[in-house]
Amino acid sequence: MLGLAADRLRADTNRLLAFLFHQGILDEQFLQLQQLEDESSPNFVSEVVNIYFHESEKLLRNLRSLLMDRELSDYNKMGIHLNQFMGSSSSIGAKRIRNVCVAFRAASEQNNRAGCLRALELLEHEYCFLKNKLHELFQIQQQRVLAAGVRYPMQN
Amino acid sequence: MTVERIVSETKDPFPVGMRVLAVDDDPTCLLLLETLLRRCQYHVTTTSQAITALKMLRENKNMFDLVISDVHMPDMDGFKLLELVGLEMDLPVIMLSANGDTKLVMKGITHGACDYLLKPVRIEELKNIWQHVVRRKKFDRKDRNNSDSKDKPHADSGEAAGIGKADNNVKINKKRKDQNEDEDEDLDENGHDNDDPSAQKKPRVVWSVELHRKFVAAVNQLGIEKAVPKKILELMNVEKLTRENVASHLQKFRLYLKRISCVANQQANMAAAVGTADSSYLRMGSLNGLGNFHAFAGTDQLHNAAFRSFPPSGVLGRLNTPAGLGIRGLPSPGTIQLGHAQNSGHSSNDQSKLQSLVPGNHNTNILQGMPMSLELDQLQNNKGVTHIGELPTANSTAVFPVSGSLIDSRIAGFSNNSLGVTSNSLMLEGSSQQATLHASNLRDGVSSIGFQNVNTLSDFASIDPLSSQLRDSKADLQGQAAPINCNAGPMIRSVPQEWNAPYQSHLMSCSVNSSIPVNGAMVQLDQCLDRNNSIFHRTMDSDSIGPLNFVDPLSIEHSEGLNSAAMKPPVIEKEGYLMYQPRPHGNHIPDNIGSLEDLASAMMKQDRDKGNPTNGNFGHNSYSHRTCI
């Protein structure tokens, strides 16, 4: 019974990851993150990803407030935020988000406000989607840990 | 692997335990970088602020072996930090950025970065960074040798000015040989320390702002040609400063000046090309000694980088400007002759002095180079134009396979004497142009940038072959698309042809309008991506044109996506980890998964069978380690 749960959870993890990779939401870099997780840093991936979420939300807020300012849109500042967003997104393997950032940056370089707005909305959407999926992933993994943990006393 | 070999041979753990200082304002990247570096067995210190980093470095000069820094930081520009570190602490600095724009990379290199990495950073790249430390240490020692031996004959050559003939050279040669012996003896005592890169026992002289100012004042007082370390030392009157310190600093300084003069040459070249040939333009070459010594920091790194082939093109290249032509009647054939001289090593009348700058095989160029300065002075007197001429940049790659740094310093010296003041930005821009020619020495930085660009383009290009195949299955797609299609009519706009066929039926009215400025294929494809994404991920669009009564695309995507997952994407075993083939963007649309995936797996199989990991169309995403587009 417990073994089945662990297997099911593992299958869920794999399916979710497969989906994310398929859709181009995540890329190889995420695998590199996973490889860095070991006994010395057991929660590395979730640590990094949580920091990423925290920072990204700040950045998205900043971007939105910059764009909402109808008087003067500071495209330079947007570019700086975007650059950071791009850097962190690519570092954790959030491929799609990074690509939207590229489009966003192109629009901002042309001072194209409409394009920037569109890109921002898309960015927010992609970000929410990724966040949900990754939370799901972490939940499954937590359950796996629990499922594995429950087994040990029985083995003893 | 090389690392292991070193460990076993010298019993020195280096590069294990190499002390790295990592600076990045982005906490995500900083944590990742720290973990990666620890995985490489380096000793890591991190900070998110450049100012803190500088403080740490200044506190204890020997605390770190290498600095990795992000380019864009809020409190201080990464390039500025780079220069300061190079100038004050003489440590190798690696730049890090999400932006791989060639101009930025160029800027990094000209400011003296020994490498420029792109985010996301791979562990493979970090495993190699210790080479920069070793390289710098080795060259540092060699520099000191060279600079010491150079300076003594330099004083003599001042007397022999205007002649630069063989007998003097012979004398100089002899002198240098003696000096080299002396120097070698001197340095042998420190040899062991120098050989051990990780434990630098020799105390590092920190060239602070005041110290450098004194140095520059002394050099200016003596005159750049006559500036010998011993005299500089006397003039500076700073205790605990040795002649060797001054000598190496002088060497770097000369490199820096030369670098500036190259920039000035570039400027003049541009001016000449544009036809303005304004002499004031030519004069904007370099700084006087006092200003902008921040950029000076780069010279040492330059020394190690590709710029060995850089230098002579600076002064020698000036022959082509109209002003240069007018002054001495040095025609453009002169430059060509220089080119030949480079190879043949023989000199003709007019060009003898210039050609003597060409290194040939031996070190006598220092002397022969001396007459140059006099010539330049004359030039300066004649017309107030400071440089000689400039090679068209196209030629310079062919002309200057320079061997030693000797030439660099000579030319730098001349340039300094003749030139006026300029701005930092000019110098950077110019040298960046110059540097394009010789960027071949850049390692991962440029190559990975190129690779990235290729990745990007080819990634988008990968859509093309797919989409052409998609056209065949167009009917299929449209059939499949029916349930997803929204009731708002398809919106037709100016899209690249490849996208039209399969995706037209999917186009819903959204805020993406045709007024998007299309700026080359990349942006266009980006927009396409936007549209494709928006199709499936946008439920309600604030700017949407009409009422949309379509099914929530997300949920459809999920079910389709899960179905696709069940269809078992091609899985590649990699180092024990299952790696799922990330699909190119063209495959975003779930309902296409059937047809596209078959295509994908067919292509993948082909690649795998061929054993070709770098299929530009498709396979690079999965096969290469480089993830980002």
Side-chain angles (χ1 to χ4, degrees), chain B residues 578-622:
Chain B
L578 283 184
M579 198 174 99
Y580 294 92
Q581 168 63 32
R583 310 177 86 196
H585 291 290
N587 294 346
H588 266 176
I589 296 149
D591 60 301
N592 290 343
I593 282 173
S595 51
L596 284 182
E597 185 169 5
D598 294 341
L599 295 168
S601 43
M603 288 175 73
M604 290 293 303
K605 274 220 178 73
Q606 264 182 11
D607 290 346
R608 245 177 299 160
D609 294 343
K610 280 189 228 158
N612 174 16
T614 56
N615 181 4
N617 276 345
F618 204 93
H620 63 267
N621 253 352
S622 61

Side-chain angles (χ1 to χ4, degrees), chain B residues 484-496:
Chain B
I484 298 185
N485 198 5
C486 75
N487 296 341
M491 200 160 113
I492 303 171
R493 52 216 113 116
S494 58
V495 300

Side-chain angles (χ1 to χ4, degrees), chain A residues 21-23 28-29 31 33 36 38 44 55 83 88 90-91 96 98-99 110 112 118 121-122 125 129, chain B residues 26 32 35 39 72 120 511-512 517 519 530 537 558 564 569 579 585 588 621-622 624-625 627-629:
Chain A
F21 283 119
H22 252 185
Q23 297 300 305
E28 282 179 11
Q29 182 67 19
L31 286 175
L33 284 188
L36 284 174
D38 59 6
F44 176 66
E55 290 297 309
N83 197 46
S88 52
S90 60
S91 295
R96 246 203 236 172
R98 186 195 171 274
N99 290 337
Q110 297 150 22
N112 173 7
R118 254 195 310 278
E121 281 168 15
L122 188 55
H125 183 102
F129 186 67
Chain B
D26 180 2
L32 179 63
T35 314
R39 191 53 69 93
H72 303 280
S511 59
V512 180
N519 208 12
D530 282 357
H537 302 297
H558 284 194
S564 80
M579 198 174 99
H585 291 290
H588 266 176
N621 253 352
S622 61
S624 69
H625 285 284
T627 57
C628 270
I629 295 160

Side-chain angles (χ1 to χ4, degrees), chain B residues 72-248:
Chain B
H72 303 280
M73 290 190 287
D75 57 342
M76 186 193 293
D77 185 26
F79 295 119
K80 180 115 190 270
L81 175 67
L82 161 63
E83 285 183 341
L84 287 175
V85 171
L87 170 68
E88 294 182 24
M89 293 110 209
D90 190 25
L91 286 177
V93 182
I94 294 179
M95 302 307 291
L96 200 56
S97 177
N99 191 344
D101 189 31
T102 314
K103 284 196 211 91
L104 272 184
V105 179
M106 209 60 78
K107 193 172 178 192
I109 302 302
T110 53
H111 278 76
C114 49
D115 208 348
Y116 194 109
L117 301 179
L118 291 193
K119 292 184 185 173
V121 185
R122 292 177 296 154
I123 198 168
E124 294 85 9
E125 291 175 330
L126 291 178
K127 285 209 171 115
N128 286 330
I129 57 177
W130 59 269
Q131 297 174 10
H132 298 294
V133 178
V134 177
R135 209 175 285 134
R136 176 172 290 248
K137 296 251 163 71
K138 265 192 134 59
F139 282 128
D140 238 8
R141 237 179 320 131
K142 222 176 22 165
D143 284 353
R144 239 158 259 141
N145 263 338
N146 285 341
S147 64
D148 290 343
S149 54
K150 248 185 298 178
D151 294 323
K152 299 233 169 78
H154 199 33
D156 288 32
S157 65
E159 297 153 8
I163 311 174
K165 287 307 181 239
D167 42 348
N168 275 337
N169 297 342
V170 169
K171 247 194 269 173
I172 303 315
N173 268 344
K174 276 211 187 122
K175 274 219 168 104
R176 186 167 314 108
K177 249 193 271 172
D178 296 338
Q179 284 151 28
N180 271 336
E181 285 167 359
D182 293 340
E183 294 304 330
D184 283 339
E185 282 168 11
D186 281 345
L187 288 172
D188 256 3
E189 298 161 2
N190 298 331
H192 286 299
D193 294 345
N194 288 343
D195 282 340
D196 178 9
S198 60
Q200 183 81 354
K201 298 201 190 103
K202 182 172 52 179
R204 273 216 172 104
V205 171
V206 173
W207 281 88
S208 64
V209 176
E210 295 81 30
L211 205 57
H212 183 75
R213 226 174 264 153
K214 279 191 191 164
F215 169 82
V216 170
V219 167
N220 281 340
Q221 195 175 336
L222 291 168
I224 189 68
E225 302 95 30
K226 294 221 171 102
V228 246
K230 191 163 155 205
K231 290 194 185 155
I232 297 175
L233 193 59
E234 287 164 14
L235 278 175
M236 283 176 69
N237 195 20
V238 172
E239 62 175 36
K240 290 212 182 146
L241 195 65
T242 69
R243 205 182 64 75
E244 279 81 24
N245 298 134
V246 175
S248 70

Side-chain angles (χ1 to χ4, degrees), chain A residues 14-19 21-38 40-41 44 47-49 51-53 55-56 80 83-96 98-100 102-107 109-110 112 114-115 117-119 121-122 125-126 129 133, chain B residues 25-29 31-32 35-36 39 72 97-99 119-124 452 511-513 516-517 519 522-523 526-527 529-530 533-534 537-538 541-542 554 557-558 561-562 564-565 569-570 574-575 577-583 585 587-588 590 593 597 620-629:
Chain A
N14 289 342
R15 189 167 44 231
L16 183 52
L17 278 176
F19 166 71
F21 283 119
H22 252 185
Q23 297 300 305
I25 295 167
L26 288 180
D27 64 11
E28 282 179 11
Q29 182 67 19
F30 191 76
L31 286 175
Q32 290 239 344
L33 284 188
Q34 289 183 315
Q35 285 177 2
L36 284 174
E37 197 167 74
D38 59 6
S40 59
S41 49
F44 176 66
E47 239 180 270
V48 176
V49 169
I51 295 176
Y52 169 70
F53 285 153
E55 290 297 309
S56 303
I80 295 173
N83 197 46
Q84 184 176 339
F85 205 2
M86 260 175 64
S88 52
S89 304
S90 60
S91 295
I92 68 157
K95 183 159 86 167
R96 246 203 236 172
R98 186 195 171 274
N99 290 337
V100 178
V102 172
F104 196 151
R105 186 172 60 179
E109 277 163 9
Q110 297 150 22
N112 173 7
L117 266 172
R118 254 195 310 278
E121 281 168 15
L122 188 55
H125 183 102
E126 288 288 345
F129 186 67
K133 288 294 155 202
Chain B
D25 64 319
D26 180 2
T28 317
C29 300
L31 178 58
L32 179 63
T35 314
L36 285 170
R39 191 53 69 93
H72 303 280
S97 177
N99 191 344
K119 292 184 185 173
V121 185
R122 292 177 296 154
I123 198 168
E124 294 85 9
Q452 279 222 335
S511 59
V512 180
N513 54 38
I516 301 167
N519 208 12
M522 273 294 285
V523 175
D526 278 338
Q527 301 297 343
L529 270 188
D530 282 357
N533 286 343
S534 61
H537 302 297
R538 193 177 301 226
D541 196 330
S542 51
L554 262 184
E557 187 188 39
H558 284 194
L562 288 174
S564 80
K574 230 174 192 180
E575 295 174 338
Y577 282 80
L578 283 184
M579 198 174 99
Y580 294 92
Q581 168 63 32
R583 310 177 86 196
H585 291 290
N587 294 346
H588 266 176
I593 282 173
E597 185 169 5
H620 63 267
N621 253 352
S622 61
Y623 287 108
S624 69
H625 285 284
R626 211 67 186 135
T627 57
C628 270
I629 295 160

Side-chain angles (χ1 to χ4, degrees), chain A:
Chain A
M1 181 75 171
L2 293 164
L4 281 176
D7 286 339
R8 184 175 48 82
L9 289 173
R10 190 172 54 238
D12 282 347
T13 308
N14 289 342
R15 189 167 44 231
L16 183 52
L17 278 176
F19 166 71
L20 290 173
F21 283 119
H22 252 185
Q23 297 300 305
I25 295 167
L26 288 180
D27 64 11
E28 282 179 11
Q29 182 67 19
F30 191 76
L31 286 175
Q32 290 239 344
L33 284 188
Q34 289 183 315
Q35 285 177 2
L36 284 174
E37 197 167 74
D38 59 6
E39 304 81 33
S40 59
S41 49
N43 297 319
F44 176 66
V45 180
S46 59
E47 239 180 270
V48 176
V49 169
N50 284 328
I51 295 176
Y52 169 70
F53 285 153
H54 186 74
E55 290 297 309
S56 303
E57 270 151 38
K58 268 198 283 183
L59 286 170
L60 284 171
R61 271 200 297 274
N62 289 342
L63 283 169
R64 182 145 288 274
S65 66
L66 281 172
L67 267 179
M68 287 299 112
D69 180 4
R70 288 186 169 270
E71 291 297 308
L72 173 72
S73 280
D74 190 345
Y75 291 105
N76 272 340
K77 245 195 168 163
M78 266 190 253
I80 295 173
H81 289 314
L82 275 177
N83 197 46
Q84 184 176 339
F85 205 2
M86 260 175 64
S88 52
S89 304
S90 60
S91 295
I92 68 157
K95 183 159 86 167
R96 246 203 236 172
I97 290 182
R98 186 195 171 274
N99 290 337
V100 178
C101 285
V102 172
F104 196 151
R105 186 172 60 179
S108 80
E109 277 163 9
Q110 297 150 22
N111 289 6
N112 173 7
R113 190 155 179 278
C116 287
L117 266 172
R118 254 195 310 278
L120 177 62
E121 281 168 15
L122 188 55
L123 202 56
E124 285 165 345
H125 183 102
E126 288 288 345
Y127 170 76
C128 287
F129 186 67
L130 178 69
K131 187 169 176 179
N132 287 338
K133 288 294 155 202
L134 286 180
H135 275 158
E136 200 181 315
L137 187 70
F138 295 146
Q139 268 177 351
I140 300 176
Q141 285 179 340
Q142 266 181 343
Q143 285 172 17
R144 277 173 81 181
V145 169
L146 288 173
V150 171
R151 224 195 304 197
Y152 290 152
M154 289 186 61
Q155 283 172 348
N156 287 345

Side-chain angles (χ1 to χ4, degrees), chain B residues 72 131 149 169 211 268 302 312 331 334 344 385 390 407 413 441 465 476 620:
Chain B
H72 303 280
Q131 297 174 10
S149 54
N169 297 342
L211 205 57
L302 280 181
S344 63
V385 175
E390 188 167 19
I407 305 304
N441 276 12
D476 235 274
H620 63 267

